[in-house]
Amino acid sequence: MPAIRVRGLVKRFASTVAVDHLDLEVREGECFGLLGPNGAGKTTTIEILEGLQAASAGDVEVLGKRWEQNARQIRREIGIQLQETQLYDRFTVEETIRTFRSFYEVKLDVDVVLELVGLTDKRNAWIKTLSGGQKQRVAVACAVVGDPLLVFLDEPTTGLDPAARRSLWEIVFGLKRRGRTVLLTTHYMEEAERLCDRIAIVNKGKVIALGSPRELVLSLGAEAVVEVELDRAFDAKSFAELPGVVAARAEHGLLRIETSEVHHVVPALIARLDRDGTKLLGLRTRHATLDDVFLKLTGSTFAEADVASPAPPEAA
């Protein structure tokens, strides 16, 4: 039985369609990522799965149950970390966790939770004295103190510095070791590639790609990207004919070449530039990423899609 099964999910806000006939299936025990730019429909989808919003249409099962008939039982078996969690500043970390712990029949020991989220040494610290990353870890502690089978983490590392972000990653690894299912929303590529067993890339309310991070990158047909800075204007399409090139395009003034044969492409590229009298100002190679997958599917990068995304709609 899947931990989550979604068929034909639709969510409308007035005239705006935030989720557009979305299908999804999350297996038990996996970390599943919903990856997409701001406004893609990730948070709306996860809030429907959490029972915080009602769907306009479609069928949703969580742990084999439906919110319409089994809301109380589902709430006992899931843990939720929202994008923004307001905690009482004058509670200590331990008092906060004990308060949330009291809401559940099945619960973890406070010491176990503190160790899981790496806050044992902060148990007596007031919430108001914590850093942003530490507050996020407290929010995750409150989500897991009821020993849930399924944990929802909605953009858990947004706004955190790299060190704090990696601390949150360790919590996810700990949940996976305990056999829990994690549904994670994020727009950080590295985070999704590192944490998730499978990923659904969401754009404009639809799933546009699904698979493991490795499968999605391999779908490009190219394992590497060569980025080149030249001293003059160029026609990117003319470089697509070089040996080993899968695709070539202009991006922010750079020539961007996708390939699985860097050792063939780079010498051929340099020879072509020498022949044309074009000066090479800079060249770097890197592994293909999920951002490259998104670019191929949509024609824009995640960062560009984030900038272009409208503000989230209000409920009608």
Side-chain angles (χ1 to χ4, degrees):
M1 181 184 66
I4 295 172
R5 182 187 285 120
V6 177
R7 293 289 180 268
L9 182 62
V10 177
K11 181 62 179 180
R12 300 184 184 89
F13 297 91
S15 60
T16 301
V17 179
V19 182
D20 189 4
H21 296 88
L22 183 142
D23 295 334
L24 204 62
E25 192 167 285
V26 179
R27 302 163 184 162
E28 286 188 351
E30 73 175 340
C31 179
F32 188 95
L34 282 182
L35 183 63
N38 293 328
K42 305 185 306 295
T43 293
T44 301
T45 297
I46 203 172
E47 288 183 352
I48 292 170
L49 298 177
E50 293 166 343
L52 302 178
Q53 291 196 43
S56 301
D59 186 60
V60 175
E61 290 184 10
V62 178
L63 298 172
K65 308 170 188 69
R66 302 176 188 275
W67 279 105
E68 297 84 355
Q69 292 87 30
N70 309 106
R72 186 168 183 176
Q73 187 172 357
I74 295 174
R75 289 192 182 99
R76 288 199 298 260
E77 297 177 342
I78 67 173
I80 299 173
Q81 174 265 322
L82 303 173
Q83 273 194 29
E84 295 184 14
T85 303
Q86 298 298 321
L87 303 171
Y88 184 53
D89 279 349
R90 293 187 177 273
F91 268 16
T92 66
V93 170
E94 181 173 354
E95 288 170 338
T96 302
I97 295 173
R98 287 194 182 278
T99 298
F100 277 81
R101 185 176 183 271
S102 68
F103 302 153
Y104 298 95
E105 296 175 9
V106 177
K107 56 196 78 176
L108 294 176
D109 185 81
V110 172
D111 291 337
V112 171
V113 176
L114 286 169
E115 183 176 357
L116 177 64
V117 300
L119 288 175
T120 300
D121 61 336
K122 292 290 184 179
R123 69 187 308 147
N124 295 317
W126 282 3
I127 296 295
K128 70 176 184 178
T129 67
L130 302 181
S131 67
Q134 290 166 341
K135 288 179 180 178
Q136 282 287 66
R137 282 189 267 167
V138 174
V140 175
C142 295
V144 303
V145 71
D147 197 18
L149 301 175
L150 170 62
V151 182
F152 294 95
L153 301 178
D154 192 6
E155 303 279 5
T157 63
T158 296
L160 301 185
D161 61 57
R165 187 174 300 152
R166 283 170 173 77
S167 293
L168 263 295
W169 292 1
E170 291 303 320
I171 297 173
V172 176
F173 292 139
L175 290 169
K176 289 176 65 175
R177 285 192 294 270
R178 298 183 68 247
R180 298 308 187 244
T181 305
V182 178
L183 178 59
L184 172 79
T185 69
T186 183
H187 58 270
Y188 292 121
M189 302 298 168
E190 181 188 6
E191 183 164 279
E193 291 189 60
R194 182 75 182 274
L195 296 180
C196 298
D197 300 296
R198 290 191 305 138
I199 292 168
I201 298 180
V202 181
N203 192 45
K204 298 180 181 178
K206 295 178 179 289
V207 173
I208 59 173
L210 175 67
S212 71
R214 179 66 175 163
E215 289 169 344
L216 292 175
V217 171
L218 287 177
S219 71
L220 287 170
E223 296 184 0
V225 176
V226 181
E227 295 175 334
V228 184
E229 184 180 1
L230 304 176
D231 71 338
R232 64 179 67 179
F234 57 87
D235 177 11
K237 293 181 180 179
S238 68
F239 290 90
E241 300 175 358
L242 292 176
V245 172
V246 174
R249 60 170 58 89
E251 183 182 325
H252 305 302
L254 297 177
L255 171 62
R256 182 179 181 279
I257 295 174
E258 297 174 5
T259 180
S260 293
E261 301 177 6
V262 174
H263 58 297
H264 287 152
V265 167
V266 172
L269 171 66
I270 293 174
R272 159 76 182 275
L273 297 177
D274 285 343
R275 186 173 66 250
D276 295 346
T278 302
K279 186 176 181 180
L280 179 66
L281 301 180
L283 182 149
R284 77 182 186 106
T285 64
R286 60 174 176 82
H287 291 295
T289 67
L290 292 173
D291 201 16
D292 298 309
V293 177
F294 188 81
L295 176 62
K296 179 181 179 181
L297 293 172
T298 68
S300 64
T301 66
F302 265 60
E304 291 167 341
D306 272 343
V307 171
S309 296
E314 297 295 329

